[in-house]
Amino acid sequence: MTDEERSVLEKLGFRLEDGAVKHLKLGIVERCEVFEGFASLAELEAFAKAMLRTRCRLSKTAAQPGGERQTRGKRR
């Protein structure tokens, strides 16, 4: 992983430890290989941001009463 790639990930709150990329606040732990091989830094950043958004949505959904079965904005 290049210094530029590391910088992008660190800017988003990730850390590189023991051959893994970790986001301690959100509990994300992935192998470094998951974040390698992108054609540009912008693609890497978009991928990392999407991962963060997904984790935040899952955390919010699980914390709501009724858990994951609730749907937002739909009435029956």
Side-chain angles (χ1 to χ4, degrees), residues 41-66:
L41 294 176
E43 285 184 14
L44 171 63
E45 185 174 10
F47 173 77
K49 284 181 177 181
M51 182 179 281
L52 293 173
R53 274 193 301 275
T54 300
R55 181 57 62 104
C56 287
R57 285 184 189 145
L58 290 175
S59 297
K60 287 180 183 178
T61 302
Q64 291 177 353

Side-chain angles (χ1 to χ4, degrees), residues 9-10 13-17 20-24 28 30 32:
L9 294 174
E10 288 173 352
F14 288 95
R15 291 178 159 182
L16 283 86
E17 296 178 0
V21 177
K22 300 178 181 183
H23 194 289
L24 301 179
I28 297 172
E30 292 287 346
C32 284

